[in-house]
Amino acid sequence: MRMDIKTLDQERAEFAYRSVLEVANLSVKDSKGNDRGSEVGSKYRSYVKSAPVLILTNGLGQALAFYRSKIKPEANIVGPNENTDNQNNSVLYTKLPEWIIKMMTETKTDKTPKFSADRLAYAYLYKHIAEWLGERGLTDGKDPLKAYTEKNALNAVLLTEETIAFLNWLRRFADAMLEEDKESGEGA
Amino acid sequence: MKSLVLGLYAVTPLHPGSGSEISVIDLPIQRERHTGFPVIWGQSLKGVLRSAFGDYELESREESGQKLREIIKAELLEIEKKLKSDIPEEEVKELITRKTELENLLLSPPMTTAIFGPPTNRASEHAGAIAVGDAKILLFPVRSANGVFAYVTSPMVLERFKRDLQLAGRNADFEVPAVGKGKALVTGNSDVENNGRVILEELVLDVEDRVDEKVIDAIKLVLPEGIDVSRRIVIVDDDVFSTFVRLSTEIVARVAIDASKGTVKQGGLWYEEFLPSDTLLYSVIIVGNPRGGALKSEEEVEETLRGFITDTRYLQVGGDETVGKGFVLAKPG
């Protein structure tokens, strides 16, 4: 072992810590001006904790597709085989939350924005997975679902295992740093 | 040196819990550190065998038509009665000593003590006559597009099986097959093959060659009767096998219900990992000379163990006993 480098697990831990901190420090106001940051945090905590099992029982592809369906961005959803770079309105998955917060809090003339803690929490989870897989060099840093569909079977397994290893840290920190969601039974 | 190669075939899901692991699953199963393969540690297995054998001995040993358990219980009852009556202090002391002796006998009858060693509080007296090895994985069931499920194994697993058979002094004259990356071997009469391919979970593998009959014969040594693996066996490369045993175990969400509300208790949701039913494991048990008195030679110990496993057939291994988990069919090979 070289002494000046970090273990993979340390890197995962560091990244997971930063990710959870981002959610823990979140201050976001709904259209009525109430701060809903902690609500997003507890939803995020609950989704992070159930994520590994969701992936293990359904596969990474199904799990990511499920998260995407929960985020429902109204801009162009970029399909697995489309190029994200040159499209107007298309949003990188690593940029999702900022963009969704903007959509949910900005007053538009045509419709009233509707704040949803669930949606934002799912968006953060998806973003953090996307960012980490990109950081590890397993994807191009954009949509992990796109990367998943393009990999061969064994590389898709690698992607799955890396995601689970990352989530193992994410759930530890989420458990420690975010408040429990009163509505769900989790927390054991 | 005598030995026993014990086959354990899961009839219901198994939860040999690891207890201390920090994992994405709250209650993971025991695994080998360096391979990530599921395992039942020898110490867990020995405990299971000891407890089952103790019951077996108390039920099967008879003296003039009475079971050992009944004889002991009858004497205990007698002592209790005497203790309640008016007797001299010296006799009370004697009775109490005898009572403790009998209670110990119920916990660890003579043959059990000879084979497995004395109970923990008297462990320094002498060692047991057997060394129970870890139960290692041999066949792991995986969902298949054809034939419902396949028994999956790999060259590394078969290599270890061969080595363990040799350690136990058994005939192991099969060649460990080589499998190409992403390829599979099946038998000629396979139920899981479809047009030269097998589809396991989400993986599509090309059939490369056939499984040698000698491999099946070796597996039969630890396979309980009435189970045919030859139509479902698939040998895959080690990486693919490793993927299956890490990602395709059964994960079950369990909840505790708050009785007054009928809803899930706060903090009452947890995830538990199981080895699926139809998993086949094996363990090598080395038999030595007994140091305790009830059995005389290693031959006698081996014979007694074989008789016990053949008579008992089913063992219960691991956690969640009371919800029907952990039943295995045992085969002495």
Side-chain angles (χ1 to χ4, degrees):
Chain A
M1 197 188 300
R2 272 180 56 192
M3 301 309 284
D4 57 339
I5 59 168
K6 285 183 174 176
T7 68
L8 249 179
D9 219 35
Q10 283 179 293
E11 281 178 26
R12 285 184 197 121
E14 188 187 15
F15 201 93
Y17 179 76
R18 284 213 308 267
S19 303
V20 175
L21 203 61
E22 183 182 7
V23 178
N25 291 336
L26 185 69
S27 166
V28 53
K29 289 188 169 58
D30 61 17
S31 52
K32 289 176 189 133
N34 303 318
D35 188 61
R36 305 278 294 274
S38 67
E39 194 185 329
V40 175
S42 56
K43 294 278 180 205
Y44 175 87
R45 179 182 185 275
S46 157
Y47 302 152
V48 164
K49 289 192 83 174
S50 60
V53 173
L54 193 75
I55 294 170
L56 282 169
T57 45
N58 302 289
L60 182 64
Q62 284 286 343
L64 290 175
F66 168 76
Y67 292 141
R68 258 176 57 156
S69 77
K70 291 292 183 188
I71 301 165
K72 288 193 200 94
E74 273 111 32
N76 295 336
I77 292 182
V78 183
N81 297 312
E82 293 169 63
N83 185 359
T84 44
D85 299 335
N86 303 318
Q87 289 188 12
N88 304 327
N89 284 334
S90 70
V91 180
L92 294 184
Y93 278 81
T94 49
K95 297 269 185 270
L96 271 178
E98 294 167 37
W99 179 75
I100 286 178
I101 290 170
K102 219 169 121 195
M103 271 188 23
M104 288 193 299
T105 48
E106 235 176 34
T107 317
K108 285 189 199 157
T109 44
D110 50 344
K111 62 175 177 184
T112 22
K114 196 163 180 272
F115 182 88
S116 154
D118 283 63
R119 194 171 163 201
L120 196 49
Y122 277 119
Y124 269 110
L125 176 56
Y126 201 90
K127 173 181 114 114
H128 290 151
I129 293 173
E131 281 177 340
W132 172 246
L133 294 177
E135 176 98 357
R136 279 278 284 118
L138 293 169
T139 70
D140 59 4
K142 291 168 192 165
D143 190 356
L145 184 57
K146 175 172 179 284
Y148 176 82
T149 56
E150 289 167 353
K151 299 263 181 198
N152 73 34
L154 288 179
N155 285 332
V157 168
L158 264 182
L159 210 60
T160 307
E161 295 204 311
E162 186 53 53
T163 307
I164 287 172
F166 173 61
L167 284 169
N168 200 11
W169 276 110
L170 211 54
R171 76 199 291 268
R172 299 286 146 215
F173 288 126
D175 211 2
M177 292 153 67
L178 298 170
E179 272 196 42
E180 207 168 312
D181 186 1
K182 296 283 180 294
E183 287 157 39
S184 76
E186 58 87 21
Chain B
M1 185 193 79
K2 291 272 173 189
S3 67
L4 219 85
V5 186
L6 181 65
L8 301 170
Y9 186 92
V11 179
T12 63
L14 309 187
H15 179 70
S18 86
S20 63
E21 223 154 310
I22 294 176
S23 148
V24 290
I25 301 149
D26 300 295
L27 298 174
I29 56 171
Q30 299 170 5
R31 285 173 186 278
E32 287 176 348
R33 170 85 187 185
H34 65 308
T35 57
F37 292 177
V39 70
I40 302 171
W41 298 119
Q43 52 272 44
S44 303
L45 188 58
K46 189 183 170 193
V48 167
L49 290 171
R50 182 189 183 107
S51 133
F53 187 87
D55 276 347
Y56 169 80
E57 185 180 354
L58 290 170
E59 288 302 314
S60 66
R61 272 222 346 205
E62 288 183 16
E63 267 161 54
S64 48
Q66 229 186 342
K67 285 176 182 163
L68 188 55
R69 194 198 297 274
E70 285 162 13
I71 297 171
I72 299 172
K73 282 204 165 158
E75 199 183 330
L76 272 172
L77 213 67
E78 195 96 335
I79 293 174
E80 299 268 349
K81 248 192 232 160
K82 271 192 201 161
L83 281 173
K84 275 183 195 147
S85 63
D86 218 7
I87 45 169
E89 203 161 309
E90 237 167 69
E91 205 177 324
V92 170
K93 240 184 201 171
E94 222 169 86
L95 283 174
I96 286 177
T97 319
R98 178 66 183 151
K99 194 180 160 213
T100 323
E101 216 177 272
L102 289 171
E103 279 165 351
N104 275 335
L105 215 54
L106 272 185
L107 281 175
S108 182
M111 280 203 287
T112 309
T113 309
I115 300 176
F116 296 92
T120 322
N121 57 354
R122 293 190 286 123
S124 57
E125 288 174 16
H126 63 86
I130 57 169
V132 182
D134 304 331
K136 295 179 195 162
I137 189 107
L138 185 53
L139 300 175
F140 186 77
V142 176
R143 177 162 57 90
S144 164
N146 277 74
V148 188
F149 78 93
Y151 293 107
V152 177
T153 188
S154 84
M156 191 198 265
V157 172
L158 291 170
E159 184 71 56
R160 286 154 52 123
F161 183 49
K162 187 174 175 174
R163 221 182 298 143
D164 287 333
L165 287 181
Q166 283 164 348
L167 169 76
R170 296 296 190 284
N171 177 23
D173 66 348
F174 65 90
E175 291 263 334
V176 174
V179 191
K181 271 247 170 295
K183 300 281 199 280
L185 315 184
V186 295
T187 52
N189 60 346
S190 180
D191 281 346
V192 293
E193 180 187 359
N194 183 10
N195 287 327
R197 283 180 158 177
V198 285
I199 304 173
L200 303 175
E201 293 271 351
E202 311 304 328
L203 286 184
V204 185
L205 307 167
D206 288 323
V207 172
E208 188 180 42
D209 204 352
R210 299 291 149 184
V211 177
D212 186 357
E213 271 303 312
K214 281 186 174 169
V215 172
I216 310 268
D217 287 342
I219 293 172
K220 275 183 188 157
L221 183 72
V222 293
L223 195 66
E225 250 164 71
I227 295 160
D228 178 16
V229 297
S230 71
R231 303 174 75 93
R232 293 182 190 281
I233 195 166
V234 180
I235 304 179
V236 299
D237 74 80
D238 296 325
D239 286 340
V240 170
F241 180 80
S242 164
T243 302
F244 284 137
V245 296
R246 274 176 295 143
L247 300 181
S248 309
T249 50
E250 257 166 62
I251 293 163
V252 174
R254 298 192 57 191
V255 290
I257 303 289
D258 182 336
S260 64
K261 289 193 275 184
T263 55
V264 178
K265 263 186 202 164
Q266 189 74 33
L269 164 72
W270 72 98
Y271 294 101
E272 203 168 324
E273 187 181 23
F274 291 92
L275 270 177
S277 40
D278 297 306
T279 300
L280 178 67
L281 304 119
Y282 71 94
S283 159
V284 173
I285 299 174
I286 303 292
V287 180
N289 276 316
R291 281 103 166 170
L295 291 165
K296 305 235 150 33
S297 62
E298 55 181 44
E299 282 80 11
E300 213 178 325
V301 172
E302 194 231 35
E303 214 174 283
T304 310
L305 270 180
R306 259 177 213 285
F308 148 65
I309 291 159
T310 312
D311 290 352
T312 317
R313 288 190 75 214
Y314 289 98
L315 294 171
Q316 206 168 20
V317 182
D320 293 325
E321 243 179 78
T322 57
V323 283
K325 301 298 190 289
F327 280 104
V328 295
L329 259 176
K331 157 92 192 277

